[in-house]
Amino acid sequence: MPDPLDDAAFRAALGRFASGVTVVSTVYEGVDYAITASAFSSVSLDPPRVLLCVDSHNRFHHPVLQTGTWAVSILADEGQDVATWLATRGRPLEHQLDRVPHHRSPRTGAALADDALAWLECRTWQAYDGADHTILVGSVEWAATTDERDDPLMYYRSHYGSLVRRPVSERGPDLPGPVLEPDTDSGGG
Ligand SMILES: Cc1cc2nc3c(=O)[nH]c(=O)nc-3n(C[C@H](O)[C@H](O)[C@H](O)COP(=O)(O)O)c2cc1C
């Protein structure tokens, strides 16, 4: 019999997966629900689908299952305070967005964080049981980006951080994309 999985090793291994950070929100019965979430991923380009894993213990869980719609803000480096706040367990639900600079999504009116690089509106296509998380696969119905900011907020081993980009793009020289100067690490575009 192999030894059972060491829970600490499992958590430590997952913590080594660096990720971006999002805010995901929905409006349920007139109340804004929003969480910080990093378990977000692209799934399909055609049709456009993304996924989000939601902890079933979160207050966000029931509302997002009920509405079937959710808005994603992909946070910029400036969004760290927003990320910290919306990950604070037990924060008051009412008026939780008072300290989050935000605007409203065009389709469902869900909150979109201003301190972001891009925004998506999604409609749940399938919800899968993932044990203590529910895996929402959403059809993307609207997306937008901004040129005002170009540095993502990152998360690694329980620390927020920022990205240092190498000058050579994986897209190759002939494809459109941000062009970064070799001697700059502050982003470009
Ligand atoms: C960097 C970071 C990433 C997180 N990612 C997720 C996630 O992907 N899914 C999730 O359900 N909770 C995630 N959380 C935890 C929630 O943000 C946190 O539990 C939040 O307080 C839940 O709010 P609620 O109880 O109002 O729903 C994350 C927290 C942090 C700090």
Side-chain angles (χ1 to χ4, degrees):
M1 269 293 268
D3 288 340
L5 172 68
D6 181 318
D7 186 55
F10 172 60
R11 288 168 183 266
L14 292 187
R16 265 70 170 179
F17 185 66
S19 69
V21 183
T22 73
V23 162
V24 187
S25 69
T26 195
V27 182
Y28 176 56
E29 296 183 338
V31 177
D32 285 302
Y33 292 80
I35 61 168
T36 298
S38 57
F40 168 79
S41 176
S42 60
V43 173
S44 165
L45 290 176
D46 185 16
R49 289 198 179 129
V50 296
L51 73 74
L52 171 72
C53 299
V54 182
D55 188 332
S56 59
H57 302 101
N58 284 347
R59 292 173 299 184
F60 180 75
H61 186 259
H62 177 73
V64 78
L65 289 183
Q66 292 302 306
T67 62
T69 57
W70 29 290
V72 181
S73 304
I74 298 175
L75 290 181
D77 204 26
E78 296 89 333
Q80 181 177 333
D81 288 349
V82 167
T84 299
W85 171 240
L86 292 176
T88 303
R89 288 197 185 272
R91 67 192 178 283
L93 203 55
E94 299 277 346
H95 305 299
Q96 67 171 332
L97 296 183
D98 286 1
R99 62 170 84 179
V100 178
H102 65 280
H103 54 288
R104 294 285 165 183
S105 68
R107 290 180 176 243
T108 65
L112 299 173
D114 292 349
D115 293 331
L117 307 173
W119 304 272
L120 306 160
E121 275 197 283
C122 307
R123 184 172 301 279
T124 301
W125 174 67
Q126 296 282 350
Y128 299 98
D129 180 358
D132 63 7
H133 282 57
T134 297
I135 305 158
L136 300 179
V137 178
S139 299
V140 180
E141 300 193 332
W142 173 84
T145 59
T146 179
D147 291 330
E148 289 177 23
R149 294 168 288 280
D150 196 27
D151 290 309
L153 182 63
M154 306 293 296
Y155 197 70
Y156 179 71
R157 295 188 68 185
S158 304
H159 290 261
Y160 291 105
S162 48
L163 179 71
V164 177
R165 275 178 285 191
R166 300 198 173 129
V168 178
S169 167
E170 291 298 301
R171 296 172 68 95
D174 299 330
L175 293 168
V179 177
L180 304 179
E181 297 302 323
D183 60 352
T184 180
D185 62 3
S186 60

